[in-house]
Amino acid sequence: MLSCCLRLRVSVPGLALSLPFLLPPSRAPGPSVRRLLLPTFDFSFRQSLIMKPLVVFVLGGPGAGKGTQCARIVQEMDQTMEANAQKNKFLIDGFPRNQDNLQGWNKTMDGKADVSFILFFDCDNETCIERCLERGKSSGRSDDNRESLGKRIQTYLQCTKPIIDLYEEMGKVRKVDASKSVDEVFAEVLKIFDKEG
């Protein structure tokens, strides 16, 4: 029941994106747009005439399965989205990564979108590293090596994990055991979305 899956690079002060229908995931540091159903997405567009977007932030360490699961969620929900006239639900994968991202979101989006919850893919560091090293054999990603991964995990622990903890205090974190198989994790994810409506 989601309208799209985003990997979003937010620039303050505005958030208006003119995009083609489908974009491949970026491999540059930081979130970027993953998939967008509408050619232009502008959160300020006639807010009084449409429902406020409902946003789910998708977070977890490198290799926790965020991108894999977001792709599956969108694929699973495509038929529902086609039939749903109220296309106001969005996944934002890998955002907010740090306090600056969160402050920019709050400043720009206050009153324009509601964060439903954070979908947190919880996975131990060693499993994440092993997954990334395996992915690195065919992905061509230069940062899928043990040294880079150690740094990426430290950045995640220092910058992103405190954001997850903050939303946990607000009761807005839905944790998934991401150490399980892709199918088992996806089954948990679907239960969460079914429960959340």
Side-chain angles (χ1 to χ4, degrees), residues 47-62:
Q47 286 296 315
S48 61
L49 299 178
I50 60 174
M51 291 180 61
K52 261 197 264 187
L54 298 174
V55 174
V56 174
F57 293 143
V58 181
L59 294 173

Side-chain angles (χ1 to χ4, degrees), residues 4-194:
C4 63
C5 179
L6 300 177
R7 292 178 66 93
L8 183 65
R9 183 176 306 280
V10 174
S11 60
V12 177
L15 181 62
L17 307 170
S18 296
L19 304 164
F21 286 93
L22 294 171
L23 294 174
S26 169
R27 293 302 174 204
S32 60
V33 173
R34 183 179 220 32
R35 181 169 189 257
L36 189 61
L37 296 177
L38 302 172
T40 303
F41 184 74
D42 182 347
F43 277 112
S44 65
F45 176 72
R46 298 185 182 223
Q47 286 296 315
S48 61
L49 299 178
I50 60 174
M51 291 180 61
K52 261 197 264 187
L54 298 174
V55 174
V56 174
F57 293 143
V58 181
L59 294 173
K66 300 178 301 293
T68 299
Q69 294 300 329
C70 280
R72 290 192 72 175
I73 293 166
V74 169
Q75 183 179 16
E76 176 75 18
M77 302 298 180
D78 269 346
Q79 290 180 351
T80 305
M81 290 186 299
E82 290 297 324
N84 184 0
Q86 293 292 341
K87 297 180 177 179
N88 68 329
K89 297 179 181 179
F90 299 87
L91 288 176
I92 305 183
D93 178 356
F95 182 87
R97 288 185 189 249
N98 56 44
Q99 193 62 38
D100 287 343
N101 286 170
L102 182 59
Q103 288 174 357
W105 172 269
N106 289 338
K107 181 178 178 184
T108 304
M109 301 309 298
D110 185 41
K112 297 176 185 172
D114 291 326
V115 177
S116 295
F117 59 91
I118 287 182
L119 184 58
F120 171 39
F121 290 99
D122 189 21
C123 192
D124 67 272
N125 295 342
E126 194 53 42
T127 299
C128 288
I129 289 171
E130 291 305 318
R131 286 178 179 172
C132 289
L133 290 174
E134 187 61 33
R135 177 182 67 191
K137 293 176 183 177
S138 60
S139 72
R141 286 186 61 163
S142 61
D143 61 348
D144 279 347
N145 63 68
R146 193 163 286 279
E147 182 180 342
S148 294
L149 287 166
K151 292 176 184 175
R152 288 168 58 198
I153 286 174
Q154 285 307 309
T155 299
Y156 159 74
L157 292 172
Q158 293 170 358
C159 299
T160 307
K161 188 65 171 77
I163 302 299
I164 297 166
D165 295 340
L166 176 68
Y167 276 86
E168 180 76 51
E169 291 173 13
M170 293 187 278
K172 288 191 167 194
V173 171
R174 308 299 178 264
K175 185 163 52 169
V176 176
D177 180 357
S179 65
K180 297 178 180 178
S181 74
V182 172
D183 290 337
E184 290 172 316
V185 171
F186 188 58
E188 281 190 47
V189 168
L190 289 180
K191 286 179 189 175
I192 289 170
F193 280 106
D194 284 345

